[in-house]
């Protein structure tokens, strides 16, 4: 039986940790979206356009572990890893429910992760900062409650920043507006 765990990474190291764990033989899952970044070239009237991978869960990736006792030490010893998420130091790590992982991975299979949705949502989205909402049926967190933290980047990315109680604490996640269900 394979158990999934969340792994906290150093700042902006998600992709590097993902690759390092894959080289060690671990099965990993790194959900991200592709975003277009436009920057002015200093001293010129031109712009450089690049595509960046922005993680859905900043600072976290997921790893599948078969033999938890031996493998968690190997994961924790990987460069760029802060640690496998646990409720407290010295406690057993938190297992991610299989249902949640299957939903996350199915979103990746359907192309909803790893690609940028360029639709402008601000005209159709009426949520406000601090408002509670239910994640919609297309979300891996369907039925869970979230709180809107920010809608500032919604026009550029088609996503809102939300707070979600997950992994034993409150986490900030970028949520595509189409995954926001009913506003409470």
């Amino acid at each position: 039986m394979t158990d999934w765990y969340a792994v906290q990474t150093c700042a902006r190291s998600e992709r590097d940790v993902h690759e390092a764990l894959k080289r060690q033989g671990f099965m990993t899952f790194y959900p991200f979206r592709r975003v277009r970044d436009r920057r002015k070239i200093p001293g010129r009237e031109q712009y450089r356009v690049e595509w960046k991978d922005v993680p859905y869960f900043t600072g976290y990736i997921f790893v599948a572990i078969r033999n938890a006792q031996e493998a968690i030490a190997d994961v924790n010893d990987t460069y760029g890893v802060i640690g496998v998420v646990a409720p407290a130091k010295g406690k057993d790590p938190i297992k991610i429910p299989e249902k949640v992982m299957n939903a996350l991975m199915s979103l990746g299979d359907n192309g909803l992760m790893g690609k940028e949705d360029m639709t402008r949502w601000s005209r159709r989205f009426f949520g406000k900062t601090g408002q509670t909402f239910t994640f919609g049926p297309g979300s891996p967190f369907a039925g869970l409650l979230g709180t809107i933290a920010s809608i500032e980047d919604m026009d550029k990315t088609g996503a809102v920043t939300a707070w979600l109680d997950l992994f034993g604490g409150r986490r900030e996640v970028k949520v595509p507006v189409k995954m926001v269900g009913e506003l409470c």
Side-chain angles (χ1 to χ4, degrees):
M1 169 132 180
T2 301
D3 294 320
W4 284 92
Y5 297 90
V7 176
Q8 187 175 12
T9 66
C10 294
R12 298 184 189 101
S13 298
E14 298 91 354
R15 179 167 295 286
D16 296 336
V17 170
H18 165 70
E19 295 297 328
L21 289 171
K22 280 176 63 176
R23 279 193 303 270
Q24 292 177 40
F26 289 102
M27 185 167 69
T28 62
F29 181 63
Y30 166 55
F32 66 92
R33 69 182 185 281
R34 190 153 293 227
V35 177
R36 192 177 118 200
D37 186 29
R38 180 176 176 238
R39 295 182 184 195
K40 188 172 183 323
I41 300 172
R44 300 171 85 181
E45 294 299 318
Q46 296 174 336
Y47 290 87
R48 174 180 296 142
V49 176
E50 298 173 337
W51 289 91
K52 299 189 312 186
D53 295 341
V54 178
Y56 271 100
F57 303 101
T58 306
Y60 295 91
I61 66 165
F62 301 95
V63 64
I65 298 177
R66 289 191 183 102
N67 183 353
Q69 299 304 327
E70 296 171 10
I72 288 176
D74 293 335
V75 171
N76 285 333
D77 289 341
T78 303
Y79 183 77
V81 170
I82 294 174
V84 177
V85 176
K89 194 168 181 113
K91 300 280 185 183
D92 289 338
I94 299 171
K95 293 180 185 176
I96 307 294
E98 190 173 338
K99 181 179 177 181
V100 172
M101 286 309 301
N102 288 340
L104 278 171
M105 290 190 281
S106 71
L107 284 177
D109 293 341
N110 292 333
L112 296 177
M113 290 189 179
K115 295 182 181 176
E116 173 61 21
D117 182 0
M118 300 305 282
T119 307
R120 303 246 176 202
W121 291 95
S122 61
R123 294 183 194 101
R124 297 190 333 223
F125 184 73
F126 301 106
K128 296 182 176 92
T129 302
Q131 191 168 11
T132 303
F133 67 93
T134 305
F135 283 88
S139 169
F141 307 110
L144 294 178
L145 292 177
T147 304
I148 298 172
S150 170
I151 57 174
E152 292 174 14
D153 294 333
M154 191 168 36
D155 278 340
K156 290 190 276 185
T157 62
V160 297
T161 304
W163 291 105
L164 174 68
D165 290 326
L166 191 67
F167 308 137
R170 188 169 238 200
R171 305 290 177 217
E172 184 178 291
V173 294
K174 290 280 188 181
V175 181
V177 175
K178 61 186 169 191
M179 292 187 186
V180 173
E182 189 176 323
L183 297 170
C184 302

